[in-house]
Amino acid sequence: MQSILRIIKIYWVIARFRLDTFINTTRLPWYLRLVVTLLPWRLFFRANGSSEARLRGALIALGPVFIKFGQTLSTRRDLLPPDLANELALLQDRVPPFEGAQARQLIEKQLGASVDELFAEFDAEPLASASVAQVHPARLKDGRAVVVKVIRPGIERVIRQDVALLYVMARMVQNLWSEGKRLRPVEVVEEYEQTIFDELDLRKEAANATQLRRNFADSDILYVPEVYWDFTRQSVMVMERISGIPVADVDALQAQGTNMEKLAERGVEIFFTQVFRDSFFHADMHPGNIFVSRENPDDPQYIAVDFGIVGSLSPEDQSYLARNILAFFQRDYRLVAQLHIDSGWVPADTNVHAFETAIRSVCEPIFEKPLKDISFGMVLLGLFQTARRFNMVVQPQLILLQKTLLNIEGLGRQLYPELDLWKTGKPYLENWMKERMGVKAMIKNIKQQAPDWIEKLPQIPQLVFDNLQQNRQAGELEYQRMLALQQAQEQRSRNKRRTLLLAATLAAATALAEPAVLAWVESLPGYAWLPAGLAWLLVWRA
């Protein structure tokens, strides 16, 4: 019954916001075009406003799961038209909180003790509430201030129902909208499904936070609050409570005398450090998840929260990405194209010249601007969109990276409009490449692999013997195979010669039917037949 009611509501929202205008009727059979034309809601609802704004309104009306999906969709700027991506980025994941009594009950069930036994203080009024979870302030028995994050009761069932409906709608969009196939909506829903179900297990978020805190231990540029694992379960997470200024509150930052240029540059430094030093980056760094410490405003420090979404790059991806960015700013489009192919991001049979030309046509206009005005994020976006036309394989880690870079870049320029991302990032990339390719990197690599080599050293003689044995056996098998092929070829040649010999003999015998030929043969002496007989025998035995 709930599913039926949900479908009815979705039908009503589609009608109210006239989402039927997204359907490309020219691709439909005549009878379906007639059905769309005669849809009853066309008489009662007008398609007011842009299609992008109406889609955003529909997602808001459908509730938090669809809102969160719209937010995820807005990050796929490699797929969406800019107007639609910008409109969906306005979506806010805010929903009314559930009752504090429910939160207490869930906490007690997960932690196996009453809230009064676990905490010295617990505020039933949440600090913040979102679609998946809400956060309550509390204090541990030892006096430490904490926040308690609690998964919304019953949300998993709602998500499963709504994701199933999203798949249905995605397939409809893919089949009925003119832009549907290019936007790959089913693929986007699959990514969203994985992301949102990961967020339902707070142990994963706690592990992400712990790893990030370890990476930036004693750092002056980023502080990550501590997770209290003794109070963390699948649906409950307890974390150190932080105090800072929201990074979007520029007036408050300026009022306390924050060094805005340094703050913006440190945001870029944090990004490159996470991506290239640690290969582990916070992939949800929108302004709501970032604060600035109130201490030492002249040497500002960021504070990060909400670690449900993180990304990582393989060493190969790190190298190719750094070389791509450096090659792009050196306008070496041939190298950019070749790196995409070498990395496996586009198929190996891609025409390098055509790919290079496409990249140049997209990227050259960007360099008409001063370097400080060039958007790093838009550079990556342009490369990804161009590569899409050459059947680029979707790389989820690169999508997260591009989204994070756009967030960091937008934030940095909001704090300090003169921020030159290239000036800040280029030295970091060049130093990273030198460290990776230089003598120090080679020595470091040897040190890392030396234990494995030492462990395998006693096995080397046996491995060499086994390899030689395998090669010998393989050689023998190859010899036997070639010998069999040669014998088969010789047998086919022998059969062909014998067939021709028999045909010639039959022709000669037929000729003896002529009296003149027969008389000539009888006139020959007996010894004259000896060479002919020997020749016939040799040809047959050959």
Side-chain angles (χ1 to χ4, degrees):
M1 179 57 68
Q2 287 180 340
S3 298
I4 292 172
L5 292 174
R6 189 69 172 146
I7 292 171
I8 291 172
K9 181 177 180 180
I10 290 173
Y11 180 85
W12 166 256
V13 169
I14 290 173
R16 178 185 167 195
F17 289 92
R18 289 297 307 278
L19 299 188
D20 58 284
T21 58
F22 282 91
I23 298 175
N24 179 19
T25 55
T26 58
R27 296 179 56 192
L28 300 177
W30 67 268
Y31 51 87
L32 288 180
R33 288 201 301 270
L34 181 62
V35 169
V36 172
T37 304
L38 298 178
L39 286 172
W41 61 64
R42 285 174 172 258
L43 301 175
F44 303 103
F45 300 109
R46 297 184 63 182
N48 295 322
S50 66
S51 57
E52 293 85 2
R54 284 186 280 111
L55 178 59
R56 179 168 69 89
L59 292 173
I60 292 172
L62 288 171
V65 174
F66 283 84
I67 290 173
K68 204 167 184 67
F69 174 69
Q71 289 178 314
T72 301
L73 198 61
S74 71
T75 67
R76 296 303 304 269
R77 291 177 179 266
D78 59 317
L79 297 178
L80 294 182
D83 291 345
L84 182 55
N86 291 335
E87 190 71 39
L88 293 179
L90 299 175
L91 289 165
Q92 297 294 320
D93 184 18
R94 294 173 183 165
V95 297
F98 56 90
E99 292 292 333
Q102 283 184 285
R104 292 176 68 100
Q105 185 179 3
L106 195 147
I107 292 168
E108 291 174 351
K109 180 180 178 182
Q110 288 277 302
L111 299 180
S114 70
V115 167
D116 293 335
E117 292 174 331
L118 295 166
F119 304 102
E121 299 174 12
F122 179 83
D123 193 342
E125 188 68 25
L127 283 174
S129 177
S131 57
V132 172
Q134 66 186 33
V135 176
H136 292 264
R139 188 174 298 277
L140 297 178
K141 293 289 187 179
D142 60 9
R144 288 177 292 181
V146 296
V147 291
V148 184
K149 188 170 185 177
V150 186
I151 295 292
R152 186 174 288 272
I155 189 64
E156 183 175 356
R157 179 177 51 80
V158 174
I159 289 174
R160 290 194 184 280
Q161 290 177 350
D162 284 353
V163 166
L165 293 172
L166 279 173
Y167 272 113
V168 173
M169 296 170 71
R171 292 186 183 98
M172 289 174 61
V173 167
Q174 187 166 288
N175 293 324
L176 300 179
W177 190 22
S178 57
E179 294 290 308
K181 279 194 168 65
R182 186 182 67 82
L183 297 182
R184 305 185 184 186
V186 175
E187 172 190 296
V188 175
V189 174
E190 288 173 351
E191 290 178 19
Y192 172 66
E193 181 181 23
Q194 180 177 351
T195 299
I196 196 166
F197 278 111
D198 280 347
E199 290 189 41
L200 294 180
D201 189 347
L202 294 179
R203 293 170 299 186
K204 292 182 179 180
E205 179 178 347
N208 295 338
T210 302
Q211 178 66 53
L212 204 60
R213 179 179 171 84
R214 188 182 304 118
N215 292 345
F216 284 88
D218 303 320
S219 169
D220 294 330
I221 61 175
L222 178 66
Y223 183 79
V224 178
E226 182 182 358
V227 173
Y228 299 110
W229 281 98
D230 289 343
F231 302 93
T232 296
R233 301 291 186 273
Q234 181 173 347
S235 300
V236 175
M237 180 177 70
V238 176
M239 177 179 279
E240 174 188 358
R241 185 174 182 181
I242 56 95
S243 176
I245 301 171
V247 74
D249 193 349
V250 177
D251 292 338
L253 291 171
Q254 290 175 339
Q256 77 160 7
T258 303
N259 185 331
M260 303 300 279
E261 180 180 2
K262 196 169 189 178
L263 183 65
E265 289 178 350
R266 284 192 162 180
V268 178
E269 184 182 350
I270 289 169
F271 171 78
F272 281 104
T273 301
Q274 290 183 90
V275 171
F276 292 104
R277 187 195 71 182
D278 304 329
S279 186
F280 187 84
F281 58 93
H282 191 310
D284 199 16
M285 295 190 74
H286 61 77
N289 289 338
I290 306 174
F291 297 83
V292 178
S293 173
R294 298 179 187 276
E295 300 175 8
N296 200 1
D298 194 51
D299 190 27
Q301 182 186 45
Y302 283 96
I303 305 171
V305 298
D306 197 347
F307 309 96
I309 305 174
V310 297
S312 63
L313 299 177
S314 68
E316 293 75 19
D317 282 343
Q318 285 179 311
S319 177
Y320 282 121
L321 183 65
R323 292 165 66 190
N324 260 297
I325 294 173
L326 290 171
F328 172 82
F329 278 98
Q330 293 162 1
R331 303 196 189 190
D332 189 347
Y333 302 120
R334 178 78 175 195
L335 179 57
V336 173
Q338 191 62 53
L339 285 169
H340 273 71
I341 295 171
D342 292 344
S343 66
W345 295 348
V346 296
D349 59 355
T350 299
N351 185 319
V352 180
H353 179 70
F355 192 20
E356 176 192 359
T357 302
I359 293 172
R360 178 179 289 107
S361 66
V362 170
C363 297
E364 257 321 304
I366 297 175
F367 282 104
E368 295 301 315
K369 302 177 182 179
L371 272 179
K372 71 180 182 64
D373 295 333
I374 293 176
S375 166
F376 237 136
M378 296 310 292
V379 165
L380 277 185
L381 180 59
L383 288 175
F384 292 166
Q385 287 177 329
T386 304
R388 276 275 184 191
R389 289 159 40 202
F390 289 81
N391 299 316
M392 177 177 178
V393 179
V394 175
Q395 305 287 333
Q397 72 278 17
L398 297 184
I399 297 301
L400 285 175
L401 180 76
Q402 177 242 326
K403 164 197 166 185
T404 304
L405 182 54
L406 283 173
N407 282 337
I408 289 291
E409 190 173 38
L411 182 62
R413 287 185 170 154
Q414 180 184 355
L415 295 171
Y416 184 68
E418 297 302 310
L419 174 67
D420 186 340
L421 202 75
W422 176 234
K423 180 181 176 182
T424 307
K426 183 183 178 184
Y428 195 98
L429 282 176
E430 290 178 336
N431 290 335
W432 182 82
M433 289 295 292
K434 287 177 183 177
E435 290 175 3
R436 185 179 175 86
M437 304 297 181
V439 176
K440 288 183 179 179
M442 184 178 68
I443 295 172
K444 181 181 177 181
N445 190 41
I446 291 173
K447 286 181 178 179
Q448 287 177 341
Q449 298 192 33
D452 288 337
W453 295 344
I454 293 172
E455 182 182 351
K456 292 174 182 175
L457 192 60
Q459 304 173 23
I460 289 178
Q462 184 63 42
L463 291 172
V464 171
F465 175 78
D466 291 344
N467 190 51
L468 291 173
Q469 189 78 355
Q470 289 174 1
N471 288 339
R472 186 179 67 79
Q473 292 174 353
E476 290 179 355
L477 289 173
E478 182 65 16
Y479 172 75
Q480 294 295 333
R481 189 179 70 85
M482 294 299 296
L483 184 62
L485 286 173
Q486 183 180 357
Q487 290 174 346
Q489 182 65 32
E490 290 176 353
Q491 185 63 43
R492 283 194 293 271
S493 299
R494 186 181 299 112
N495 291 341
K496 186 176 180 180
R497 286 195 302 271
R498 288 179 175 179
T499 301
L500 292 173
L501 182 62
L502 289 173
T505 303
L506 182 62
T510 303
L512 292 176
E514 293 292 329
V517 175
L518 181 61
W520 176 77
V521 170
E522 288 176 344
S523 67
L524 292 174
Y527 63 83
W529 291 96
L530 184 61
L534 288 173
W536 192 95
L537 187 62
L538 287 172
V539 172
W540 182 264
R541 297 289 300 273

